[in-house]
């Protein structure tokens, strides 16, 4: 991995690195465009009440999402070739030109982020295999936080912070994912990191080691950054018009020798 940094300075997303759409091959760029802004040295992804469903009538349960990603690959329309299919047999609806913005292989990955979630929303940052070959499809979850997993302990905020490796269709990966409860206020900025080496991934929050996985994907991966809303959980949300937000202050990557 070469050193990489995006501090989201200025007022525009760097479209040489990021695509402001979430898995557009299964939908379309028009229908899966992220709601976002770049201001105050932050990327702010949000889901306003009028934002439509992602893959309406196709994805169950229904969801809405604003996400960006640092790579893109799909087969032709009508094929099953594409990144992160959400069910077996799903077909490409809109062809996407192959494009690699930032696709590291091994290194220290760091994301400084905060989030504002309700019981019906979730935010996450993960690395996804490029799927230019079907088996290169595993994930490294840097963090995944559900709004209904936020709590307090003796007056202090806590969160179940998901992290680990998921195999999907990679036969070389068995998978190891958990969501340890940390004493952390996710509405404030924290540093989430994964140290990705051959055969091992270490996960850290604010520089503190939290988890080690004894296996690792051995191919380039792209970063996915997204906030989700789950309409089926509306009854559990006391604020029906709450707008979930994921704000990212910076993304950095560097070789492990520099870590």
């Amino acid at each position: 991995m070469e050193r990489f940094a995006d501090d989201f300075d200025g007022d525009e997303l760097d479209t040489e690195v990021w695509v402001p759409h979430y898995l557009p091959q299964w939908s379309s760029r028009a229908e899966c465009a992220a709601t976002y802004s770049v201001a105050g040295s932050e990327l702010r992804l949000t889901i306003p009440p009028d934002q439509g469903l992602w893959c309406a009538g196709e994805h169950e349960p229904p969801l809405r999402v604003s996400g960006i990603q640092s790579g893109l690959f799909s087969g032709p329309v009508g094929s099953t070739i594409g990144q992160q299919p959400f069910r077996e047999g799903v077909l490409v609806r809109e062809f996407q030109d192959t494009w690699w913005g930032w696709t590291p292989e091994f290194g220290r990955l760091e994301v400084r982020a905060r989030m504002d979630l309700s019981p019906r929303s979730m935010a996450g940052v993960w690395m996804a295999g490029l799927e230019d070959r079907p088996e290169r499809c595993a994930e490294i979850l840097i963090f995944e936080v559900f709004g209904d997993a936020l709590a307090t302990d003796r007056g202090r905020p806590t969160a179940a912070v998901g992290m680990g490796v998921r195999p999907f269709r990679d036969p070389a990966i068995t998978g190891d994912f958990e969501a340890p409860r940390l004493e952390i206020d996710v509405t404030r900025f924290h540093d989430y990191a994964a140290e990705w080496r051959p055969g091992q991934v270490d996960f850290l929050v604010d520089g503190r080691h939290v988890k080690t996985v004894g296996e690792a994907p051995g191919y380039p991966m792209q970063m996915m950054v997204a906030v989700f809303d789950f309409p089926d959980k509306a009854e559990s949300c006391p604020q029906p018009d709450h707008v979930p937000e994921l704000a990212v202050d910076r993304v950095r990557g560097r070789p492990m020798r520099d870590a």
Side-chain angles (χ1 to χ4, degrees):
M1 176 198 289
E2 297 182 356
R3 293 179 70 90
F4 170 82
D6 192 341
D7 294 323
F8 300 104
D9 293 332
D11 56 8
E12 294 184 356
L13 191 69
D14 184 352
T15 53
E16 293 187 1
V17 175
W18 306 106
V19 173
H21 304 269
Y22 182 71
L23 302 175
Q25 67 273 12
W26 310 126
S27 176
S28 71
R29 289 207 176 201
E31 293 180 357
C32 72
T35 301
Y36 73 96
S37 65
V38 179
S41 194
E42 292 179 7
L43 164 69
R44 299 169 187 157
L45 291 161
T46 58
I47 304 177
D50 60 351
Q51 183 165 322
L53 295 176
W54 183 74
C55 287
E58 290 276 339
H59 189 279
E60 293 296 337
L63 64 80
R64 304 185 302 150
V65 55
S66 284
I68 65 170
Q69 54 191 71
S70 68
L72 191 57
F73 171 78
S74 86
V77 171
S79 75
T80 59
I81 300 169
Q83 297 171 323
Q84 302 208 306
F86 55 87
R87 61 170 171 78
E88 186 174 352
V90 65
L91 301 178
V92 172
R93 292 174 54 191
E94 183 178 274
F95 169 73
Q96 305 296 317
D97 289 325
T98 299
W99 174 84
W100 308 129
W102 179 51
T103 56
E105 183 175 358
F106 304 122
R108 180 181 171 96
L109 311 165
E110 304 172 357
V111 179
R112 182 168 176 81
R114 63 175 174 84
M115 58 207 82
D116 183 3
L117 304 174
S118 79
R120 58 180 278 178
S121 53
M122 183 269 278
V125 174
W126 66 101
M127 305 302 294
L130 307 183
E131 300 200 45
D132 52 336
R133 298 204 301 267
E135 69 275 12
R136 296 181 9 154
C137 61
E139 287 184 351
I140 298 174
L141 279 294
I142 299 175
F143 73 81
E144 181 181 88
V145 177
F146 285 84
D148 59 4
L150 305 179
T152 57
D153 182 6
R154 290 165 291 182
R156 296 179 179 178
T158 69
V161 180
M163 59 189 70
V165 174
R166 288 176 173 153
F168 290 97
R169 300 167 310 286
D170 184 341
I173 300 294
T174 58
D176 183 349
F177 174 86
E178 63 179 319
R181 184 160 293 278
L182 307 179
E183 190 175 289
I184 186 173
D185 180 357
V186 298
T187 66
R188 298 180 179 274
F189 278 112
H190 294 279
D191 296 309
Y192 304 88
E195 294 186 343
W196 173 26
R197 302 173 176 86
Q200 179 175 312
V201 186
D202 294 302
F203 296 87
L204 304 92
V205 177
D206 293 331
R208 180 173 67 88
H209 175 266
V210 179
K211 178 178 176 63
T212 294
V213 173
E215 60 179 356
Y219 39 77
M221 306 184 88
Q222 66 190 50
M223 180 170 278
M224 312 285 290
V225 182
V227 61
F228 297 83
D229 171 72
F230 305 100
D232 280 3
K233 294 185 176 181
E235 291 184 0
S236 67
C237 184
Q239 300 170 294
D241 293 328
H242 177 266
V243 176
E245 178 183 50
L246 172 60
V248 179
D249 176 55
R250 62 174 180 258
V251 173
R252 290 182 180 167
R254 61 182 189 271
M256 286 305 304
R257 66 177 178 270
D258 297 341

